[in-house]
Amino acid sequence: MRFGHFDDERREYVIDRPDTPLPWINYLGTEAYFGIISNTAGGYSFYRDARLRRLTRYRYNNAPFDFGGRYLYLRDPGTGEFWSPTWQPTQPELDEYECRHGMSYTQIASSYRNIRARVSYFVPLGETLEVWRLRLTNERAEAAELSVFSSVEFCLWDAQDDATNFQRNFSTGQVEVVDGVIYHKTEYRERRDHFAYFACSEPLAGFDTARESFLGPYRSWDRPIAVERGSSSDSVAHGWQPHGSHHVRIALQPGETREIGFVLGYWENPRDAKFDPPGSQTINKHMVRPVIARWLRQDTVDEGFRALREHWDNLLGGLQVSTPDGETDRMVNIWNAYQNMVTFNMSRSTSFYESGIGRGMGFRDSNQDLLGFVHMIPERAKERILDIAATQLATGGAYHQYQPLTKRGNNDIGSGFNDDPLWLILGVAAYLKETGDTSILEALVPYDNDPGTEQPLYDHLQRSLRYTLDRLGPHGLPLIGRADWNDCLNLNCFSETPGEPFQTTENATGGVAESVFIAGQFVLAARELAGIAALVGRPGQEYLDAAEKMSGTIAEHGWDGAWFRRAYDFHGNVVGSASNDEGQIFIEPQGMCVMGGVGVEDGTAATALASVRERLATPHGIILQQPAYSSYRVELGEISSYPPGYKENAGIFCHTNPWLMIAEAIVGNGDAAFDYYKRINPAAREAISEVHRCEPYVYAQMIAGRDAPTHGEAKNSWLTGTAAWNYAAITQWILGIRPELTGLRVAPVIPADWPGFTAVRRFRGATYRIEVRRGDERSLTVDGVAVSPDAVLPLAQAGTDVEVILTVS
Ligand code: BGC
Ligand code: NOJ
């Protein structure tokens, strides 16, 4: 069952009923001011940091599920009837409803009692504000008088404090209303640097800034007293809950259309701001007034919207493909690339599942996200790499997370996830492959942000590799520490005495548990570093030797007979082996070892992949491990805390699936690679939206595995490494348009029944127009000249167009 459809032409997903299985959200903002918005206008906004600069409130995990938003009400004074044109919060029986989620904008349109409404929401480029544009058309035979009410509930900036510290916060709220603009200025007394504003293009019939005055006692947003009554009370909040609501009265002739603009924004004084008046506690209205005036004008809004569209044309223009499969095209050309940009902006901070106050930027996560956006924004990718690397510790280890505002390592979480440092090598390799900019290796970057410790980035990469080699366990495999990629595989948890409290991961990083996954990742990273060394004329043989040695260790202690083992626990017991009663086979080492090239030549890779197909693959995607753990096991940690079929305990953890797609492509199996791709491609799952339940236009972190009663149900959409890795799998390995250190390679491993495909790829400033077709013999021509089909394409001059024709048999 579908709840909408794709409009590829406009790059929109069109939702045609408001009661989607879950709120289907979109993101507003591209640089500093951001928000999430659901298909019924739920969501919130923030400036840079969703925890510390939250503009509006949102009530996570409430009933109804999606609560708090950018709400509007229309009221017909003739009948006293009122409704929300975005459905929430009054939930009217709309005659028509449509939500269009596009690239950084959302439009919700509806019709009720012959009043047509359309609200467009977006954040203009370069601004720290959001525009809401309401368009109303009277489709009645007679004139219509209407009242329009807006509504936002302000958050007192620190979202965590806002949700908990009521003894203080009920007394701090402050607002000011001047010339119809509502200013939210809580905290301005002491900080004197930031405030929010909410303005409307029309003369006001009234306003409210005290929530209780707007809603009325014991009422909620579904029937605010001001709307029911048809008049605001011009309330000014003193403490309690600052709120923003405008009231506008309009009259529309039959067939007449009118637009009303609203602007909600954030203002931060420049450091040398002159105060207004000097020395006062008044906010700096004189600076923001011109900005507000501009964005309330329709021509500015039209121009801003056009610029936003152009911005996305440009970003998405980095790669456009035309394949025999429409669902591949719409993900590669539009939604997967878009989701990659959202993970760049949000990391794991703000979604319907991430509250904005939890996790900062992940060291591991951010390095992997790079794979998905580096070709669109190489400059910002470089900046991101240098930020991440500056949090690395002198040991080569890494803080697991860092804070986006301070860019400092997060001491609460600390370090000890032993896969973390190796991701830096993989992230830098992705950057170098895309850009060829080897100067990044010379960039001086401190350790732990400690001035005076700066070393070239290359040194950081060397220490990353060293970190693993300095921490090998009893079998010569890398120590896992607190966990590896699988945060929940906490193998240094143990209980001295059965039944006694067990030691947690935090104090057990010194344990001896080992990870085959990290071993595979090490082989991959060491080979990448050797490639980088060769590129810049440094010695790299030792990395190749170390990779070789580690491959041998995997063969000796990491191979189980039909697949790669997962780990050894604190007691030296094997994990992920046929000899285990549960958790016999895990997906991660099968993907990572093969990506590192382990077993590709001797055929063990193919055997491992066959085992995955037989034991882990389901129609909804590949399960993380089997059999699921049926009960909690202290010696394995959090993984076994999940009921079977969910998350790391045998869920379909989508992030790992593309590793298997890549592995299948590496062994030359295009049909299997593409088959796995289709199983979790959200667009290909659109027709089963009642089962999948999450948005059909973006990847979710998890789909419930076959041990779960809800097999096939997705959760945790948007902020997941799944996005970047799937993008890499389909574009670089299946379609095979792969940046390498020395240039662009075209090496497709496509399904047998594909006649070919075409693609346009921007690469190092040139535009490659690629055609892949079938023929008797493999051949490659570049601008009409035959070259070896196994070579990387000769580097073209920036600004030129290159025609590439690859014939595959
Ligand atoms: C989840 C993991 C996640 C981790 C983040 C765990 O509860 O299962 O998927 O990475 O939390 O801290
Ligand atoms: C989500 C985390 O963000 C990611 O870093 C981790 O690898 C996976 N969960 C698996 O545990």
Side-chain angles (χ1 to χ4, degrees), residues 107 118 120 122 124 131 133 135 259 294-310:
Q107 286 182 345
R118 190 187 76 191
S120 308
F122 75 103
V131 171
R133 196 86 204 168
R135 187 185 158 95
E259 299 218 355
R294 242 160 36 83
W295 288 103
L296 287 175
R297 284 213 321 262
Q298 192 169 337
D299 56 341
T300 320
V301 172
D302 292 344
E303 174 53 28
F305 192 66
R306 203 192 50 70
L308 183 65
R309 274 196 175 272
E310 229 174 66

Side-chain angles (χ1 to χ4, degrees), residues 309-555:
R309 274 196 175 272
E310 229 174 66
H311 171 78
W312 279 105
D313 285 347
N314 179 44
L315 287 177
L316 300 181
L319 174 63
Q320 290 288 297
V321 303
S322 175
T323 75
D325 183 68
E327 283 145 4
T328 299
D329 293 359
R330 71 169 47 120
M331 289 310 290
V332 170
N333 295 340
I334 308 170
W335 292 99
N336 196 172
Y338 180 58
Q339 187 177 3
N340 292 340
M341 286 303 297
V342 170
T343 61
F344 164 71
N345 285 320
M346 299 292 134
S347 192
R348 302 295 174 268
S349 131
T350 301
S351 72
F352 182 66
Y353 306 84
E354 299 280 8
S355 67
I357 55 181
R359 303 203 264 158
M361 315 276 299
F363 193 96
R364 170 204 294 149
D365 294 331
S366 294
N367 275 306
Q368 291 174 82
D369 290 347
L370 273 163
L371 294 171
F373 61 73
V374 62
H375 71 291
M376 291 187 274
I377 45 165
E379 272 307 308
R380 299 179 78 187
K382 180 175 191 172
E383 207 180 298
R384 174 66 53 87
I385 288 174
L386 299 178
D387 285 348
I388 299 171
T391 68
Q392 189 177 24
L393 301 164
T395 58
Y399 284 107
H400 193 50
Q401 289 171 11
Y402 69 99
Q403 291 308 120
L405 267 191
T406 62
K407 299 185 176 171
R408 301 244 152 205
N410 184 340
N411 272 313
D412 295 344
I413 312 276
S415 62
F417 294 80
N418 284 351
D419 64 315
D420 271 336
L422 294 173
W423 292 112
L424 182 64
I425 299 177
L426 301 176
V428 172
Y431 174 78
L432 288 170
K433 289 174 182 178
E434 184 61 38
T435 63
D437 169 25
T438 52
S439 73
I440 194 174
L441 298 171
E442 304 310 320
L444 292 176
V445 187
Y447 285 96
D448 199 6
N449 277 295
D450 196 1
T453 62
E454 287 80 6
Q455 289 291 325
L457 181 65
Y458 194 80
D459 186 70
H460 286 251
L461 305 186
Q462 289 176 303
R463 289 198 201 184
S464 290
L465 218 54
R466 252 290 123 221
Y467 181 86
T468 306
L469 292 176
D470 287 348
R471 289 167 182 74
L472 299 179
H475 300 88
L477 291 163
L479 293 179
I480 196 169
R482 288 166 62 180
D484 58 22
W485 172 89
N486 190 331
D487 281 322
C488 299
L489 199 60
N490 314 129
L491 301 180
N492 289 312
C493 283
F494 62 94
S495 173
E496 295 285 2
T497 332
E500 288 292 300
F502 59 93
Q503 271 194 262
T504 62
T505 50
E506 277 79 12
N507 54 15
T509 47
V512 294
E514 299 165 281
S515 162
V516 178
F517 171 85
I518 300 182
Q521 190 195 10
F522 176 86
V523 175
L524 178 63
R527 291 189 170 146
E528 291 285 20
L529 192 57
I532 294 171
L535 185 70
V536 294
R538 288 172 180 256
Q541 190 56 42
E542 61 169 309
Y543 311 138
L544 290 176
D545 293 345
E548 195 59 28
K549 188 161 177 228
M550 189 66 81
S551 297
T553 310
I554 294 173

Side-chain angles (χ1 to χ4, degrees), residues 90 129 188 255 264 295 383 441 443 453 484 505 538 558 564 566 580 582 584 602 625 735 756:
T90 69
L129 56 85
Y188 200 80
L264 170 67
W295 288 103
E383 207 180 298
L441 298 171
T453 62
D484 58 22
T505 50
R538 288 172 180 256
F564 294 100
R566 182 63 178 85
N580 295 119
E582 294 176 338
Q584 292 176 337
D602 65 18
Q625 114 275 13
L735 301 180

